[in-house]
Structures are given as C-alpha cells and as structure tokens.
Amino acid sequence: MTETRITINGSEVTTALDERTSLLDFLRDHVGLTGSKKGCNQGACGACTVLVDGERINSCLALAVQYDGRSITTVEGLERDGELHRLQAAFIEHDGFQCGYCTPGQLCSAIGMAGEAERGVPSNVTADIGERVVTLDRNELRERMSGNLCRCGAYNGIIDAIEETFVTAVAR
Ligand code: FES
Ligand code: FES
C-alpha cells in the first residue's frame, strides 16, 4: 500500500492505495465519483477520460499512485457554482448525446484537446506542424476526438457542440 495524495476537483484526497489500483477505479470505487465511465478498460474507447493538470488521459490505463501530488478534474468538476461549463451547455443545445455513457469522457477530452491546439500540438491532419497555434476546423476536431467513441453515433452533435464552444467562440 502507498499513501497517495491527489487533488480531485479542488479537494485533496489522501488515502493508502494498493499500487495496482487504476486511476479510474480509484475515482469511481474509492472516491465515489462515478461520472468517469468504464467502457473498455483497455484504452480503446475514451469513456474514462479525465484531465490531469489540464491534460487529458485515459484513467483506465493509469495507476492512481502515479498521480500523487497531481490535480485531477473529472466531469463532476466542470460546473462552477451550479453553472454548467459552456461545453456542457453546448452538448445539450446540439443534442451531443443519446444514452450519455460516453459524454463525461467526450467533455473532458474536448477541453484537453482545445488546450493542446492552443499550445500548437499537431494532429495527424495538421497541414503545417510548425504552427504555434493550430487552427481547429471540423477535420481537426474529428481527428483529435477520434479516441472517444460514441456507440449511439451522436458524433455530429458532439462536433457541433465542440465547434461552437472552442472554434466559433474564438472566431467571434
Ligand atoms: S474505459 Fe478507458 S479507454 Fe475505454
Ligand atoms: S451518447 Fe451513447 S455512447 Fe455516446
């Protein structure tokens, strides 16, 4: 067992953990935050995506003890003072979900993705990998969100919501 201190959605959690505990199991089974979903448990679906110090990761592939001293944001931490994050509101507006199982991962992933583009991190479809800030278009959005699967096929609404939040808003 290893004493582990992780800040989750602004609150510090300290606990002794079996080193084999995944970050996803820690969040769901130890902390009780069941928003992050276990789809495949092997890094293939993105349902478990959370933000670690602003960067997106698949929490099913991470060991919780690796994140000692780090700050995690889950879907439960996206709202502020009872107000939905603007991306959450856009998902509702654009029908970006059906069953909702993939939605927490889609939301966290999209927020992390927007940060990557701002930092100039290229994707497989970025024409100029020397760009300091990558311009997001629908092609970029689809490529960058391709690690998050939606079994309901709500992709058009998901991309519309992300585009409105992170592309249209920036262009205004
Ligand atoms: S549950 Fe982690 S990627 Fe599918
Ligand atoms: S909304 Fe059902 S899996 Fe995406």
PDB file of all heavy atoms in Angstrom, residues 40 52 85 87 103 120 137 141 143 167:
ATOM      1  N   CYS A  40     -14.224   0.174 -22.008  1.00  0.00           N
ATOM      2  CA  CYS A  40     -13.421  -0.983 -22.435  1.00  0.00           C
ATOM      3  C   CYS A  40     -12.405  -1.417 -21.391  1.00  0.00           C
ATOM      4  O   CYS A  40     -11.970  -2.549 -21.372  1.00  0.00           O
ATOM      5  CB  CYS A  40     -12.698  -0.630 -23.730  1.00  0.00           C
ATOM      6  SG  CYS A  40     -11.504   0.720 -23.509  1.00  0.00           S
ATOM      7  N   VAL A  52      -5.673  15.742 -16.142  1.00  0.00           N
ATOM      8  CA  VAL A  52      -4.637  15.789 -15.107  1.00  0.00           C
ATOM      9  C   VAL A  52      -3.841  17.065 -15.332  1.00  0.00           C
ATOM     10  O   VAL A  52      -3.175  17.207 -16.368  1.00  0.00           O
ATOM     11  CB  VAL A  52      -3.693  14.566 -15.187  1.00  0.00           C
ATOM     12  CG1 VAL A  52      -2.618  14.675 -14.121  1.00  0.00           C
ATOM     13  CG2 VAL A  52      -4.469  13.277 -15.028  1.00  0.00           C
ATOM     14  N   HIS A  85     -20.463  24.077 -17.367  1.00  0.00           N
ATOM     15  CA  HIS A  85     -19.401  24.547 -18.258  1.00  0.00           C
ATOM     16  C   HIS A  85     -20.044  24.846 -19.613  1.00  0.00           C
ATOM     17  O   HIS A  85     -21.002  24.180 -20.016  1.00  0.00           O
ATOM     18  CB  HIS A  85     -18.360  23.435 -18.395  1.00  0.00           C
ATOM     19  CG  HIS A  85     -17.125  23.808 -19.146  1.00  0.00           C
ATOM     20  ND1 HIS A  85     -17.101  23.944 -20.521  1.00  0.00           N
ATOM     21  CD2 HIS A  85     -15.871  24.073 -18.716  1.00  0.00           C
ATOM     22  CE1 HIS A  85     -15.880  24.272 -20.902  1.00  0.00           C
ATOM     23  NE2 HIS A  85     -15.109  24.354 -19.832  1.00  0.00           N
ATOM     24  N   LEU A  87     -19.244  24.145 -22.496  1.00  0.00           N
ATOM     25  CA  LEU A  87     -19.270  22.979 -23.383  1.00  0.00           C
ATOM     26  C   LEU A  87     -20.414  22.038 -23.001  1.00  0.00           C
ATOM     27  O   LEU A  87     -21.070  21.468 -23.875  1.00  0.00           O
ATOM     28  CB  LEU A  87     -17.927  22.240 -23.320  1.00  0.00           C
ATOM     29  CG  LEU A  87     -17.824  21.003 -24.214  1.00  0.00           C
ATOM     30  CD1 LEU A  87     -17.996  21.352 -25.693  1.00  0.00           C
ATOM     31  CD2 LEU A  87     -16.478  20.289 -24.001  1.00  0.00           C
ATOM     32  N   THR A 103     -20.414  10.576 -22.686  1.00  0.00           N
ATOM     33  CA  THR A 103     -20.403  12.042 -22.577  1.00  0.00           C
ATOM     34  C   THR A 103     -19.367  12.597 -21.599  1.00  0.00           C
ATOM     35  O   THR A 103     -18.654  13.557 -21.947  1.00  0.00           O
ATOM     36  CB  THR A 103     -21.813  12.565 -22.224  1.00  0.00           C
ATOM     37  OG1 THR A 103     -22.763  11.947 -23.088  1.00  0.00           O
ATOM     38  CG2 THR A 103     -21.889  14.066 -22.383  1.00  0.00           C
ATOM     39  N   GLY A 120      -0.287  24.493 -29.776  1.00  0.00           N
ATOM     40  CA  GLY A 120       0.334  24.181 -31.058  1.00  0.00           C
ATOM     41  C   GLY A 120       0.664  22.715 -31.244  1.00  0.00           C
ATOM     42  O   GLY A 120       1.458  22.362 -32.126  1.00  0.00           O
ATOM     43  N   ASP A 137     -10.482  23.128 -37.322  1.00  0.00           N
ATOM     44  CA  ASP A 137     -11.647  23.033 -38.205  1.00  0.00           C
ATOM     45  C   ASP A 137     -12.286  21.675 -37.918  1.00  0.00           C
ATOM     46  O   ASP A 137     -11.804  20.916 -37.070  1.00  0.00           O
ATOM     47  CB  ASP A 137     -11.250  23.195 -39.681  1.00  0.00           C
ATOM     48  CG  ASP A 137     -10.183  22.197 -40.109  1.00  0.00           C
ATOM     49  OD1 ASP A 137     -10.066  21.140 -39.456  1.00  0.00           O
ATOM     50  OD2 ASP A 137      -9.471  22.465 -41.091  1.00  0.00           O
ATOM     51  N   LEU A 141     -11.085  18.622 -35.585  1.00  0.00           N
ATOM     52  CA  LEU A 141     -11.873  18.202 -34.416  1.00  0.00           C
ATOM     53  C   LEU A 141     -12.167  16.707 -34.472  1.00  0.00           C
ATOM     54  O   LEU A 141     -12.025  15.997 -33.473  1.00  0.00           O
ATOM     55  CB  LEU A 141     -13.194  18.989 -34.338  1.00  0.00           C
ATOM     56  CG  LEU A 141     -13.064  20.486 -34.044  1.00  0.00           C
ATOM     57  CD1 LEU A 141     -14.456  21.128 -33.998  1.00  0.00           C
ATOM     58  CD2 LEU A 141     -12.341  20.731 -32.729  1.00  0.00           C
ATOM     59  N   GLU A 143     -10.511  14.356 -36.062  1.00  0.00           N
ATOM     60  CA  GLU A 143      -9.277  13.611 -35.844  1.00  0.00           C
ATOM     61  C   GLU A 143      -8.880  13.629 -34.363  1.00  0.00           C
ATOM     62  O   GLU A 143      -8.573  12.593 -33.772  1.00  0.00           O
ATOM     63  CB  GLU A 143      -8.158  14.214 -36.707  1.00  0.00           C
ATOM     64  CG  GLU A 143      -6.761  13.710 -36.413  1.00  0.00           C
ATOM     65  CD  GLU A 143      -6.570  12.221 -36.674  1.00  0.00           C
ATOM     66  OE1 GLU A 143      -7.350  11.647 -37.457  1.00  0.00           O
ATOM     67  OE2 GLU A 143      -5.646  11.635 -36.063  1.00  0.00           O
ATOM     68  N   VAL A 167     -14.353  26.865 -31.323  1.00  0.00           N
ATOM     69  CA  VAL A 167     -13.956  27.416 -32.613  1.00  0.00           C
ATOM     70  C   VAL A 167     -14.743  28.684 -32.893  1.00  0.00           C
ATOM     71  O   VAL A 167     -14.189  29.768 -33.002  1.00  0.00           O
ATOM     72  CB  VAL A 167     -14.151  26.396 -33.763  1.00  0.00           C
ATOM     73  CG1 VAL A 167     -13.679  27.006 -35.094  1.00  0.00           C
ATOM     74  CG2 VAL A 167     -13.393  25.123 -33.456  1.00  0.00           C
TER      75      VAL A 167
END
